Amino acid sequence: MAILLLLLLFPAAGVAQVPVLRISAENTADHVQTRAIARFADQVQRTGKGRIEVRFYHSARLFRDRDVIAALTSGKVEMAVPGMWQLDRYVPDIGLYMLPLFYGLPAATHYRVRDGGIGLEVNRRIEQNLNVKVPGRWLDLGYAHLYFTGTQVTSHKQLTGLRIRIPGGAANRGRLDAFRADPVVIPWPDLPNALDKGKIQGVLTTHETVRSAALWTKGIRYGFEDREYFAQYVPMINARFWQSLSGELQQLLISAWEQVVSRQREEAATAQQQARATLQANGIEIITPDEATLAEWRRVARRLEPAIIRELNIDTRLVQQAESVVTD
């Protein structure tokens, strides 16, 4: 009777606990990134067959991406997929992907670098610096371009003197400095007021972001589709949690993640194209420079690249390896 009473009072004694994988995302439920993470969570829950429990929190219900790195490393959440622009302050070599070297290049070239040996090395440095596991390839957001209020920019020379809002980053600033624009950092919540009051003439962002914020209602009239940089989201799992899993469960997570990436990248590209059409339907005129023009101005921007590399403290060996892949 005493043994039965103990079992009733302490049913978990001696029984292994099912690991709980809490995933935090900032984007809303209908975002292509969120939908991909939801498919990953469902796949893990389904194939795990009770060996792991997944709890997915989107729409910043747990953390905003700017705060999720600290939460992840401290164990307040087990997994997050923040934008790469949130990470270069922790892992300077992520800034490699935003250098002028990549300005205007097609997505396939970005993938050759990021999904290859260089990308594996950058992932290793993320893991080392942040005490996390990167389970696989990164998800896409897409290209960032330039958008303007009163000036229709049809050539790079017209960028001279235009004050353009950037989210931050030495690479963003250096690239626009090379084009003789005037980049300024303005927090996103303050952007509508800055546009209304004419404090800026342009914005560096994506088609999808312009659409979601309906920036045509804030004065944006023109787009300059020059592929400033290619934005992605980085999957990361807390290292202590990762190491607590069996090898079988680790492989399950890696496999489930890989299954969502290709489809998500296709969906992200489609979303950007649909957003582009929405911008045009709302009166935004879009100019797209040709490849020769982009190549010419990539050479111009690269004149400031050594200074950007020094400021960001990017490993010059990685830059040389990336240049070799890009020019191959």
Side-chain angles (χ1 to χ4, degrees), residues 297-313:
W297 285 90
R298 182 162 55 249
R299 288 190 290 270
V300 171
R302 293 203 68 193
R303 295 170 188 167
L304 292 185
E305 196 164 76
I308 298 171
I309 292 168
R310 287 194 298 272
E311 182 174 352
L312 288 176
N313 194 30

Side-chain angles (χ1 to χ4, degrees), residues 9-28:
L9 290 175
F10 305 103
V15 178
Q17 296 294 308
V18 174
V20 177
L21 175 65
R22 294 169 296 176
I23 309 173
S24 175
E26 181 178 82
N27 290 315
T28 55

Side-chain angles (χ1 to χ4, degrees), residues 39 53 70 78 139-140 147 149 161 280 307 319:
R39 290 196 297 270
E53 180 182 346
E78 285 72 46
L139 301 181
D140 285 0
Y147 307 83
T149 52
Q280 291 177 311
V319 178

Side-chain angles (χ1 to χ4, degrees), residues 202-220:
V203 180
L204 171 64
T205 188
T206 71
H207 291 328
E208 176 62 16
T209 305
V210 174
R211 182 207 61 78
S212 64
L215 289 185
W216 54 86
T217 66
K218 303 301 179 181
I220 293 296

Side-chain angles (χ1 to χ4, degrees), residues 237-288:
I237 299 173
N238 175 278
R240 290 186 298 277
F241 175 81
W242 177 259
Q243 291 159 7
S244 73
L245 300 177
S246 67
E248 187 177 1
L249 280 178
Q250 288 178 351
Q251 188 54 49
L252 185 153
L253 292 180
I254 290 173
S255 176
W257 183 259
E258 178 60 26
Q259 289 180 48
V260 307
V261 175
S262 294
R263 175 179 168 184
Q264 189 278 338
R265 289 181 174 183
E266 292 174 358
E267 290 177 345
T270 298
Q272 292 291 353
Q273 286 302 311
Q274 292 173 342
R276 186 183 194 274
T278 300
L279 268 54
Q280 291 177 311
N282 283 277
I284 295 179
E285 299 179 42
I286 298 175
I287 297 295
T288 305

